[in-house]
Amino acid sequence: MSGFQSPRGLRDLLEPLASAHGWAVDRAWAAADAAGYARIELPFAEESALFERAVGGTSDIVSKELFRLEPRGDDAVALALRPEATAGMVRAYLQHGMRSQPQPVRLATVAHLFRYDRPQKGRYRQFTQFDVEAIGDSGPGSDLEVIALGAAYLRDLGLTDVEVHLNSVGCATCRPAFVALLQAHFASIAPQLSEVDRSRLAANPLRLLDSKEPVAVAHAATAPRITDHLCAACASHHAAITKGLATIGVTVVAAPSIVRGLDYYTRTAWEYLLPGEQGQQGALGGGGRYDGLVELLGGTATPAIGFAIGIDRVVLALEERGLLPEHAKGPAIVVAGIEPESIALRIATALELRAAGVSARADISSRKIGKQLEGAVRDGARAVIIVEPDGRLTLRDLTEASQGEPAERGAVIAAARRLVQGKG
RNA sequence: GUGGCCAUCGUUCAAUGGUUAGGACCGCGGUUUGUGGAGCCGCAGAUGAGGGUUCAAUUCCCUCUGGCCACCCCA
């Protein structure tokens, strides 16, 4: 053993997970392309201050989970690895003057993110998100479009029973009154609340709704629901979304416990969950409307909405359900040879096969031909091409256990191609 | 960041305060020398790291590292 191992929370993806992960990422880009969302690739690091502003300096994500980079030389600004993608998205929107494009600006990315968190299954220090944002539209249409896009992505991967757990967190007009109402509801049992919950009661009462403490959970059941206390504008927005999702055919579950801690979040908040395995790994993804963020980062007031779906969790869910796509096996053709001197010729032949669109690899060993055949079988190859001492080639069909006569290169390669492609 | 469980070949299991830590799978080689996954034979490969207790530790204790679970939070 080498003595080195991957650092905590940072893992290697081996097959078949590596292929599955890549597949889920490819499908994410494809889903974005198909919906007319522009691809954007963002840097892995940004100014720390961007995250402190966008995510909130007191949030866990910034206060204890940020991977801060050691400053070097005369760097003017402190940098950090990105813990989420939205901040960079909005930064890019502002930096590149996208407000002069038709609104909303539709952007999508697949981002590798970093959080200095305590790892668990489905939670790693480096993870990947499919991130979609529609910036510049305040109507319920952009909510519907974005929510449906995420749900369709998950459904198309095979997670056909995704549920959208939906809530509204109101706006600056209606939320303060509701928070006060909520505070009053919990104040009556304050002495029985746990210490964390009591501090939440003072600092962020909405969080009481998703507390895990039994006392708070019990009391939350009878708590007022924000969706019953929205202002007229928020209420009609929320109603339009609920109705629209029904039309679109998305399974919706009302989820009054979905809350967001920061002021710039407004109205729609949702999570993508799978029934049956809710809990431990949390949601597959989540999204929300953040009408206050662009302005917070220095732009003019601009409404926006987006979601992030955790690719790692998606792959985990697919794996647990046996829905991972069969990953590509070995090459269709293995080029073997009788004599060690033929190794270069074997490789040249494999190259030619690939150029002809047939996956192939050469057996580069000096093993006996029997061992080479055995290796080809184990690799799942369809056929073997044997390089004869005279340089001619013999095609052997491994499925039929039949073998042709030695022939010239072009003819054998063409035959191999027919064999492989004919099989489909 | 808090609490808890865990750690033996690449994988999966076994064993013990005391000779060379055992099996299976995988890998490699052989099976008489140019044709297939079996069988048979053989080879390689581990006590995560560092301390401590002890005549003796893989086994008991501590620290570290890593994994998992719950919390926190989130994807």
Side-chain angles (χ1 to χ4, degrees), chain A residues 11-280:
Chain A
R11 59 191 185 136
D12 302 311
L13 284 178
L14 308 180
E15 293 289 22
L17 255 33
S19 284
H21 198 272
W23 170 76
V25 167
D26 290 345
R27 297 296 295 263
W29 285 121
D33 290 346
Y37 278 67
R39 297 186 181 209
I40 182 168
E41 295 273 8
L42 299 165
F44 280 41
E46 300 272 1
E47 284 185 48
S48 307
L50 174 67
F51 301 124
E52 285 158 6
R53 186 89 65 85
V55 186
T58 60
S59 69
D60 279 11
I61 290 177
V62 164
S63 65
K64 63 181 199 187
E65 296 176 3
L66 207 56
F67 271 93
R68 295 177 186 276
L69 299 182
E70 193 177 330
R72 301 195 52 168
D74 52 1
D75 277 353
V77 296
L79 304 182
L81 295 179
R82 55 184 177 183
E84 55 108 45
T86 304
M89 286 281 214
V90 172
R91 194 223 78 228
Y93 173 90
L94 293 171
Q95 180 174 336
H96 302 290
M98 294 187 203
R99 67 174 178 171
S100 65
Q101 295 176 14
Q103 307 290 300
V105 173
R106 297 176 167 91
L107 297 172
T109 195
V110 173
H112 295 103
L113 308 176
F114 302 84
R115 288 183 199 171
Y116 192 83
D117 208 357
R118 190 128 158 201
Q120 254 177 66
K121 194 184 213 175
R123 167 201 273 181
Y124 311 99
R125 287 185 172 184
Q126 177 189 322
F127 57 104
T128 307
Q129 281 185 350
F130 174 30
D131 200 89
V132 168
E133 318 283 347
I135 304 174
D137 182 82
S138 62
S142 52
D143 301 55
L144 288 170
E145 174 179 298
V146 168
I147 293 171
L149 174 49
Y153 165 68
L154 293 169
R155 221 170 26 218
D156 291 347
L157 290 182
L159 301 171
T160 51
D161 51 347
V162 247
E163 293 173 349
V164 170
H165 287 229
L166 183 71
N167 196 25
S168 171
V169 296
C171 65
T173 305
C174 48
R175 186 158 38 192
F178 173 72
V179 168
L181 209 57
L182 197 63
Q183 222 155 6
H185 179 256
F186 278 98
S188 61
I189 58 152
Q192 300 157 52
L193 289 173
S194 66
E195 200 176 323
V196 259
D197 280 342
R198 245 174 291 140
S199 69
R200 280 196 264 241
L201 179 58
N204 195 352
L206 287 174
R207 283 258 163 247
L208 284 165
L209 292 174
D210 63 359
S211 172
K212 308 291 191 304
E213 304 281 342
V215 179
V217 171
H219 213 60
T222 58
R225 292 186 162 213
I226 189 166
T227 43
D228 296 330
H229 298 272
L230 295 172
C231 61
C234 287
S236 80
H237 188 92
H238 191 248
I241 290 165
T242 307
K243 191 175 171 197
L245 287 175
T247 302
I248 292 167
V250 171
T251 307
V252 175
V253 177
S257 69
I258 293 178
V259 296
R260 295 281 125 100
L262 298 166
D263 287 344
Y264 60 76
Y265 284 112
T266 52
R267 296 184 172 171
T268 315
W270 76 97
E271 291 179 356
Y272 297 108
L273 292 172
L274 293 174
E277 54 189 300
Q278 83 284 32
Q280 300 89 348

